[in-house]
Amino acid sequence: MESQIAKTCQSLTTAEEMRNQTKLMMQPYANWEEYLTPAPLSIAILGELVFISSKTDFSINKNPPKDGYKHIRYPESFRGCLMQVCNSGWWAFNEAHKNMDQTRLHTMAVPDYMKTAVKILFQGNDEVVEAHLPDQLENIRVIADDCLALAESTEMRFSEVINIIQELLEACVNAEHFYGEELEKIKKELEVNKMRKQSSEEAAKRAEKAVKVMEQELKDASDTYKNAMDSLPSGWNMVAMDLVGALTESFASVVTGLTAIVTQPVAQMCNASKKVAETVKDVKGMTSSADGFDEMNIYSKSAEILTWTEHIQEYVQKSDIDWKSLYDQKNKSTKTDFVKDQFQRISCSLEKFPECKPKKKAQKLCKEAIKICKDLAKYAPDGKCEEEKTNELIEKINELIESARIFDCKSKDITKSPSLIPKPPMMFKEESKSERKSASERATENARFRIEQSRAQLKNTRETYDKSVENMEKNQKDLTEILMSMRNCELKEIDFNTTIQMLVKGMDAMGRVKEQWEKMVRFFQMVSNIVKTTLSRTLKDFASTSEKTQSLSYNSKLFSKDLLYSQAFQATNIASLVHMISATYTEVSDKYLMDRVSSLGKLMAMDKTKPEFEHERLQLQNSCDEAQKGILRLVHKNKDEFERKTDSRIKKIDNELLAILPSAAPEEMKSIQAAIQSGFTEDEEALYS
């Protein structure tokens, strides 16, 4: 049964399946068609500004800054400034389309490099791995760096538009064109924009921290493996496998967690009802002194905590403890002593993080597990213990497993890492050779937990997606109303205040599009950094690892190979997510944006006194209106597709994995579902108080 479960889990978690799973998990946060809803509005606003600029002109250069204007080129002419905004907006959308299409073509090649890397890793010759693997990884890194440059240049184009509008509004304020309430309103808008800028700078700093987090995680994984192997008694090969499984899952959680942190603030930014200040607070990790990276790092330990907790549970046989299996007569040691050491190591590794609720919860789990291991070690040599104490221990172990499952579900919810993950290839190969019969019951229960967890996770993702689409429709309504009010404006009715309102809306809409480009920059920084870390650290470790004369068939060389695979796989996974985003952007841009951008260019070049100008203006307005509706149709089509894919994933897991498991006792299912319910739905306060 154990080997059948392992094989089925592995077939459900192939590289392709995992790439699709990542796309599903990130869909609510990375659906670009939603983020592009402000784009037609931006173009329509630019068109209106061209129209307005044909009105009488005036100077805004009354109280210029001491060191002059940094972005405005024509402070003597308000009309000239408006045309400068339109011109820079036109360039931004043109560059965005070209660069995103190049990104789509670049990222298309990454899976092929990954396939070659896997082939190199799978053949046994270490010299071949050292000679040829760096080339494949270097190819992925070059793609990431090229795409990074494209994303950065586009982000700069949108920043330019925003800076010009910001400075233009400030100049109007300084030139005393506003009074009373109107003045306060504009000042508030300028303040919000500055905060956006600040939160974007903080995101860049966090991206730098992400690299350090990743490097440290890899170093810790290698050190933990080496130290554990030195202290592991002979003949404990299976325990070594569990250790590796937990370590590689922790690393995967760190990477998916980083990807989630990169995408989520943007999803919050797009919530029209939220203030930017709240978003900055969200990003900073609420009220605790730990930031998002610290908390995500703590949550990534959940895989190890759950693995070692399950190890303790392995010795519980219904209402008794299997003392005979628990005590290793040959080495005169209790088998949970090694587990206790792992909990002590995890607890020590948590010390470096600032105080926060996840840290308290993780440390509490470790403390309880260590106490249970000490109690087991006390009675194991005698092979017996009074009934009352046995019942007390079993109860504590059951409580511990439930708490560890809740923490793991919370971790999956925070880091967005999938419940079913593949075993590293070398480890799976070794495990398949040595059949594991004793842990069959544990494997079955674990599989059940993973199935229920996957179900809850996909349900959760679907609810998030529903909310984001609902929120988008509200935003869409607001945007359409703005477009309608613009359309009703006659030239003589458009006063200075209406122009300023349009500029403010334009700045906001451009700001939203720019945020997506910032996100692209973070994505490519991550891919590039994962590969650089692999090339600089893991490959060197692999080359310098000497075959140890250990009785373990799964040695340090194979562990290094698995780490290399995990890193290459994670880099490819993010590249695949980016490919999905870039394909969506290019599709939306092709269908709904580029014709409008061309029309804007035409409008800017036309003589504003001729009737053709008015005709072109109305055409641009109507086509932007159509684009809004078109993007909404695409959102609903993608939402239906997303729902179909989540249903099909759950069905596949049920048909392939659930079908081979024996039926579960009602109380076991009740306990699993209760833990999952708590992990995915309870708020932080309730969970950690």
Side-chain angles (χ1 to χ4, degrees):
M1 174 58 80
E2 163 81 3
S3 63
Q4 199 182 353
I5 291 172
K7 278 173 192 158
T8 308
C9 285
Q10 208 67 358
S11 76
L12 283 168
T13 54
T14 60
E16 186 57 35
E17 290 278 6
M18 294 319 288
R19 280 196 286 272
N20 292 335
Q21 176 89 355
T22 301
K23 287 176 193 172
L24 278 181
M25 300 303 298
M26 293 297 171
Q27 184 96 2
Y29 311 105
N31 45 340
W32 266 61
E33 67 278 14
E34 176 191 336
Y35 299 140
L36 281 171
T37 44
L41 175 73
S42 308
I43 297 164
I45 287 172
L46 294 172
E48 288 308 303
L49 294 177
V50 175
F51 174 60
I52 293 163
S53 71
S54 60
K55 282 189 73 181
T56 48
D57 203 4
F58 55 88
S59 168
I60 51 167
N61 203 13
K62 194 176 172 188
N63 296 312
K66 285 186 184 112
D67 47 355
Y69 293 104
K70 290 189 177 77
H71 307 285
I72 296 174
R73 288 196 214 117
Y74 318 106
E76 290 303 331
S77 161
F78 183 66
R79 201 155 82 182
C81 291
L82 292 183
M83 281 309 281
Q84 190 189 341
V85 170
C86 298
N87 212 7
S88 61
W90 183 84
W91 276 108
F93 279 109
N94 264 309
E95 179 126 343
H97 182 80
K98 174 177 69 76
N99 288 359
M100 198 55 120
D101 201 31
Q102 278 183 284
T103 301
R104 181 182 64 82
L105 295 169
H106 275 316
T107 48
M108 209 185 268
V110 174
D112 290 336
Y113 292 132
M114 178 65 187
K115 279 175 193 159
T116 314
V118 170
K119 271 182 195 159
I120 293 166
L121 276 172
F122 264 83
Q123 56 72 48
N125 190 324
D126 292 348
E127 285 72 31
V128 174
V129 174
E130 285 169 40
H132 296 289
L133 190 65
D135 294 344
Q136 299 308 315
L137 296 173
E138 186 62 22
N139 287 335
I140 296 174
R141 190 193 63 75
V142 168
I143 286 176
D145 286 349
D146 286 350
C147 292
L148 181 61
L150 290 169
E152 281 174 339
S153 77
T154 314
E155 187 200 347
M156 270 172 64
R157 284 282 189 190
F158 281 101
S159 296
E160 214 174 275
V161 188
I162 292 161
N163 290 337
I164 295 168
I165 298 176
Q166 171 98 2
E167 198 167 64
L168 176 56
L169 291 172
E170 281 170 355
C172 293
V173 168
N174 294 337
E176 294 163 11
H177 283 298
F178 299 110
Y179 307 97
E181 224 175 275
E182 198 61 42
L183 178 66
E184 287 312 305
K185 213 165 151 189
I186 297 298
K187 278 185 174 170
K188 206 175 268 180
E189 285 293 345
L190 291 169
E191 196 50 46
V192 163
N193 200 48
K194 278 176 185 158
M195 285 182 74
R196 266 198 171 159
K197 204 171 176 183
Q198 190 188 330
S199 94
S200 144
E201 281 160 9
E202 281 175 14
K205 281 181 198 153
R206 288 200 311 277
E208 282 171 33
K209 185 173 178 179
V211 190
K212 295 189 179 83
V213 165
M214 221 147 41
E215 283 176 7
Q216 190 56 45
E217 190 62 28
L218 273 173
K219 184 181 180 299
D220 291 351
S222 299
D223 293 348
T224 300
Y225 179 78
K226 283 171 193 154
N227 296 336
M229 289 309 102
D230 291 340
S231 64
L232 192 67
S234 60
W236 285 30
N237 211 7
M238 286 306 168
V239 179
M241 300 286 186
D242 284 335
L243 172 72
V244 174
L247 288 175
T248 46
E249 188 174 342
S250 282
F251 173 69
S253 296
V254 167
V255 179
T256 31
L258 292 175
T259 314
I261 285 180
V262 168
T263 46
Q264 270 178 299
V266 182
Q268 290 163 342
M269 285 268 190
C270 287
N271 185 340
S273 61
K274 247 192 180 186
K275 298 284 178 287
V276 176
E278 283 179 41
T279 305
V280 174
K281 191 178 86 174
D282 284 337
V283 168
K284 282 180 177 168
M286 308 313 241
T287 49
S288 74
S289 55
D291 65 12
F293 285 105
D294 291 323
E295 294 196 356
M296 182 270 306
N297 225 323
I298 294 164
Y299 277 122
S300 75
K301 310 282 179 208
S302 73
E304 285 190 80
I305 291 173
L306 186 59
T307 297
W308 298 121
T309 306
E310 284 168 351
H311 240 287
I312 299 172
Q313 193 203 24
E314 204 173 296
Y315 300 102
V316 175
Q317 308 279 317
K318 292 191 171 75
S319 59
D320 204 1
I321 290 171
D322 185 356
W323 297 107
K324 195 179 171 190
S325 302
L326 180 62
Y327 193 67
D328 183 350
Q329 289 292 349
K330 190 181 164 192
N331 295 297
K332 297 281 178 251
S333 66
T334 308
K335 288 182 182 173
T336 47
D337 285 350
F338 180 77
V339 174
K340 183 191 74 182
D341 294 343
Q342 298 315 305
F343 276 114
Q344 281 169 337
R345 171 184 58 76
I346 296 165
S347 188
C348 290
S349 74
L350 293 167
E351 288 300 332
K352 62 177 182 269
F353 298 110
E355 285 308 311
C356 59
K357 285 169 185 167
K359 177 182 172 180
K360 277 183 194 161
K361 181 66 182 169
Q363 282 181 323
K364 190 180 173 201
L365 283 167
C366 291
K367 194 178 168 187
E368 284 167 9
I370 291 164
K371 191 175 182 309
I372 290 170
C373 288
K374 282 179 179 171
D375 283 348
L376 290 172
K378 188 174 159 188
Y379 299 105
D382 299 335
K384 61 181 190 299
C385 156
E386 58 269 22
E387 195 180 334
E388 196 184 327
K389 184 68 186 172
T390 302
N391 292 338
E392 187 193 318
L393 274 169
I394 291 171
E395 197 180 324
K396 279 183 180 172
I397 291 168
N398 289 337
E399 280 170 11
L400 181 68
I401 197 103
E402 191 167 339
S403 300
R405 280 174 175 168
I406 292 172
F407 187 65
D408 189 60
C409 289
K410 193 73 198 164
S411 162
K412 297 284 185 285
D413 193 30
I414 298 289
T415 63
K416 306 289 168 243
S417 44
S419 176
L420 282 170
I421 67 154
K423 283 189 172 163
M426 302 300 146
M427 175 182 154
F428 181 66
K429 217 166 152 187
E430 288 304 317
E431 266 197 2
S432 306
K433 287 179 196 169
S434 50
E435 285 286 313
R436 186 176 186 166
K437 296 182 184 73
S438 61
S440 180
E441 203 176 304
R442 177 185 147 203
T444 306
E445 192 178 335
N446 191 19
R448 273 198 203 101
F449 171 64
R450 295 295 181 188
I451 291 167
E452 290 302 317
Q453 198 180 41
S454 294
R455 205 190 300 277
Q457 196 172 27
L458 288 167
K459 181 175 170 268
N460 219 26
T461 309
R462 185 184 270 198
E463 281 167 10
T464 309
Y465 198 13
D466 283 347
K467 278 179 200 158
S468 78
V469 170
E470 198 182 302
N471 183 46
M472 194 223 78
E473 284 173 334
K474 275 186 206 152
N475 288 350
Q476 180 89 345
K477 207 174 157 205
D478 296 345
L479 299 180
T480 312
E481 278 168 16
I482 296 163
L483 278 174
M484 292 305 288
S485 65
M486 274 187 192
R487 186 166 298 158
N488 297 333
C489 279
E490 289 299 318
L491 188 56
K492 57 182 182 296
E493 288 173 7
I494 298 173
D495 59 3
F496 175 72
N497 279 353
T498 313
T499 309
I500 291 302
Q501 276 166 21
M502 284 186 191
L503 276 171
V504 168
K505 292 286 177 200
M507 182 168 74
D508 181 61
M510 285 288 190
R512 291 191 203 184
V513 179
K514 175 186 164 272
E515 276 152 21
Q516 311 318 311
W517 282 97
E518 284 175 8
K519 187 169 77 177
M520 285 306 256
V521 170
R522 311 282 168 262
F523 273 142
F524 290 119
Q525 277 174 338
M526 277 180 64
V527 175
S528 182
N529 289 328
I530 288 176
V531 179
K532 280 174 193 161
T533 308
T534 310
L535 290 169
S536 64
R537 181 174 182 89
T538 319
L539 261 176
K540 280 179 190 157
D541 275 1
F542 176 76
S544 61
T545 304
S546 57
E547 294 286 354
K548 287 196 177 176
T549 51
Q550 277 178 329
S551 57
L552 291 177
S553 56
Y554 183 81
N555 54 37
S556 299
K557 276 279 187 203
L558 293 179
F559 175 64
S560 291
K561 276 189 176 184
D562 276 341
L563 266 189
L564 285 169
Y565 172 80
S566 295
Q567 289 164 75
F569 174 72
Q570 292 301 335
T572 315
N573 218 354
I574 299 171
S576 158
L577 180 67
V578 170
H579 181 71
M580 172 186 85
I581 293 170
S582 56
T584 306
Y585 182 100
T586 314
E587 182 191 352
V588 172
S589 189
D590 262 335
K591 280 186 185 170
Y592 305 114
L593 299 183
M594 289 323 286
D595 284 352
R596 282 85 189 162
V597 171
S598 304
S599 176
L600 177 68
K602 199 171 160 190
L603 205 62
M604 287 194 292
M606 285 174 95
D607 182 345
K608 296 167 186 57
T609 55
K610 292 191 174 172
E612 289 90 342
F613 177 78
E614 180 60 25
H615 176 258
E616 189 65 36
R617 175 207 170 202
L618 288 172
Q619 211 173 336
L620 177 64
Q621 274 187 350
N622 292 332
S623 72
C624 286
D625 204 2
E626 269 310 302
Q628 297 280 91
K629 288 175 189 161
I631 290 174
L632 189 60
R633 279 196 298 274
L634 185 67
V635 168
H636 283 291
K637 178 182 151 229
N638 285 0
K639 183 174 176 280
D640 293 343
E641 178 74 357
F642 170 78
E643 285 175 3
R644 191 185 61 71
K645 282 178 179 169
T646 48
D647 285 342
S648 131
R649 179 68 180 160
I650 291 170
K651 214 172 275 176
K652 189 168 185 185
I653 292 170
D654 283 353
N655 291 347
E656 291 181 26
L657 187 56
L658 190 62
I660 64 167
L661 301 177
S663 58
E667 61 271 17
E668 187 192 319
M669 284 311 291
K670 214 172 171 184
S671 157
I672 287 174
Q673 281 162 350
I676 285 163
Q677 181 78 0
S678 301
F680 279 110
T681 55
E682 280 187 35
D683 59 52
E684 298 267 316
E685 219 43 63
L687 200 62
Y688 296 119
S689 54

